[in-house]
């Protein structure tokens, strides 16, 4: 693997110090209870958590009846996940940027691919490459759930354009503890364009407004098409 970029270094450092949610986020619970369970009667199947972190959401869906698998780029995140959820220990795998998803999951298919607060740390071309790979891994009528950071997020005001790149640099300030790079979504149409490979079922947003300002994210729930 090539040397880590600023995002990967910061991510690794945070997980070394115990970063990661211990309880599932409220919007993830609402996704399951209000949409997957109530509207779609979708309460089981094989699920991939792309960017699983310390495994909390993966474990949540496992407890609900899914057969869950997790991928992450961080060694420390996966160590934390294995310690927190030993029942899932053999289901966590590491990914690096030289690998395709089909290399890791040869001859395997999923019914649900979930990626929470992960994809926006990549450039748009890289996101689209992974989306194509995810689409190939999905069973017919399989679902995807993705979140992306919107321009309304308070971090956007600390960001600057990077020449010839779609991703923006977010500089370290008193509110941001490290330099990072983030792809921000302009609006709903921009989100739909990015995820055009999938048929949208629900497009929404969540905003946890804290003292440091808005933490606005877009949420996309979609279905595999014949592409």
């Amino acid at each position: 693997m090539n040397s880590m970029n600023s995002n990967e270094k910061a991510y690794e450092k945070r997980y070394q110090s115990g970063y990661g949610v211990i309880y599932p986020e409220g919007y993830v619970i609402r996704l399951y209870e209000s949409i997957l369970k109530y509207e779609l009667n979708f309460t089981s199947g094989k699920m991939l958590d792309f960017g699983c972190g310390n495994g909390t959401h993966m474990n949540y869906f496992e407890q609900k009846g899914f057969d869950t698998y997790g991928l992450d780029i961080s060694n420390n995140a996966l160590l934390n996940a294995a310690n927190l959820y030993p029942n899932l220990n053999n289901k966590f795998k590491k990914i690096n940027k030289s690998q395709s998803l089909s290399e890791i999951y040869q001859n395997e298919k999923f019914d649900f691919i979930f990626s929470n607060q992960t994809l926006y740390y990549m450039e748009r071309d890289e996101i689209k490459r992974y989306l194509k790979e995810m689409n190939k891994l999905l069973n017919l009528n399989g679902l995807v759930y993705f979140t992306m950071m919107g321009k309304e997020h308070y971090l956007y005001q600390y960001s600057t354009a990077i020449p010839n790149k779609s991703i923006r640099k977010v500089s370290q300030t008193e509110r941001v503890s490290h330099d990072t790079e983030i792809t921000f979504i302009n609006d709903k149409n921009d989100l739909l364009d990015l995820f055009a490979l999938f048929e949208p079922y629900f497009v929404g947003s969540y905003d946890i407004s804290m003292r440091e300002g808005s933490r606005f994210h877009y949420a996309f729930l979609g279905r595999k098409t014949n592409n």
Side-chain angles (χ1 to χ4, degrees):
M1 183 178 179
N2 296 330
S3 59
M4 292 189 292
N5 62 28
S6 60
N7 282 344
E8 293 165 35
K9 289 177 182 177
Y11 194 53
E12 199 71 75
K13 185 176 180 180
R14 282 190 289 173
Y15 273 102
Q16 189 175 23
S17 61
Y19 174 80
V21 296
I22 300 300
Y23 303 102
E25 299 279 10
Y27 56 86
V28 174
I29 296 173
R30 289 191 293 274
L31 164 71
Y32 173 76
E33 294 290 346
S34 298
I35 301 179
L36 299 182
K37 180 181 177 181
Y38 180 74
E39 294 185 19
L40 299 176
N41 193 30
F42 185 71
T43 57
S44 64
K46 194 171 180 179
M47 172 187 162
L48 174 62
D49 187 344
F50 182 83
C52 64
N54 66 354
T56 293
H57 290 124
M58 184 176 153
N59 181 67
Y60 171 77
F61 282 102
E62 181 83 16
Q63 297 303 312
K64 293 299 181 183
F66 288 85
D67 180 19
T68 61
Y69 296 80
L71 274 181
D72 207 277
I73 201 168
S74 166
N75 288 315
N76 287 324
L78 294 174
L79 284 173
N80 294 347
N83 288 330
L84 284 168
Y85 308 108
N87 58 309
L88 300 175
N89 196 12
N90 65 339
K91 292 185 169 184
F92 297 112
K93 289 188 178 182
K94 189 177 188 305
I95 186 173
N96 63 58
K97 290 185 177 181
S98 67
Q99 293 176 292
S100 67
L101 297 182
S102 59
E103 287 180 84
I104 300 172
Y105 296 106
Q106 297 181 21
N107 303 316
E108 294 190 58
K109 293 287 188 177
F110 294 90
D111 302 294
F112 183 32
I113 297 180
F114 173 93
S115 187
N116 178 58
Q117 297 186 6
T118 295
L119 294 176
Y120 50 70
Y121 291 114
M122 306 175 190
E123 289 196 68
R124 287 179 184 248
D125 288 347
E126 187 177 9
I127 295 171
K128 289 184 176 181
R129 175 172 68 84
Y130 277 116
L131 294 179
K132 288 180 181 179
E133 294 180 15
M134 291 176 187
N135 193 50
K136 291 179 181 178
L137 288 183
L138 280 171
N139 283 318
L140 185 64
N141 295 320
L143 297 179
V144 294
Y145 177 79
F146 307 127
T147 67
M148 292 292 293
M149 199 176 288
K151 288 175 68 175
E152 297 92 335
H153 196 291
Y154 82 95
L155 287 181
Y156 187 80
Q157 66 184 303
Y158 298 102
S159 71
T160 54
I162 302 174
N164 303 316
K165 287 190 175 185
S166 60
I167 203 165
R168 296 175 67 88
K169 180 181 178 181
V170 179
S171 299
Q172 182 173 345
T173 69
E174 61 183 26
R175 293 186 178 182
V176 184
S177 61
H178 57 273
D179 286 353
T180 190
E181 294 180 356
I182 293 173
T183 291
F184 293 91
I185 293 294
N186 297 319
D187 52 33
K188 180 179 176 180
N189 288 335
D190 189 24
L191 185 80
L192 290 171
D193 180 68
L194 181 62
F195 297 133
L197 189 59
F198 304 98
E199 178 186 358
Y201 179 81
F202 171 79
V203 177
S205 62
Y206 58 93
D207 185 359
I208 307 169
S209 296
M210 307 292 282
R211 286 187 177 182
E212 65 267 34
S214 170
R215 293 188 175 188
F216 185 93
H217 290 75
Y218 286 98
F220 177 93
L221 179 65
R223 192 182 300 275
K224 179 183 174 73
T225 66
N226 294 324
N227 296 331

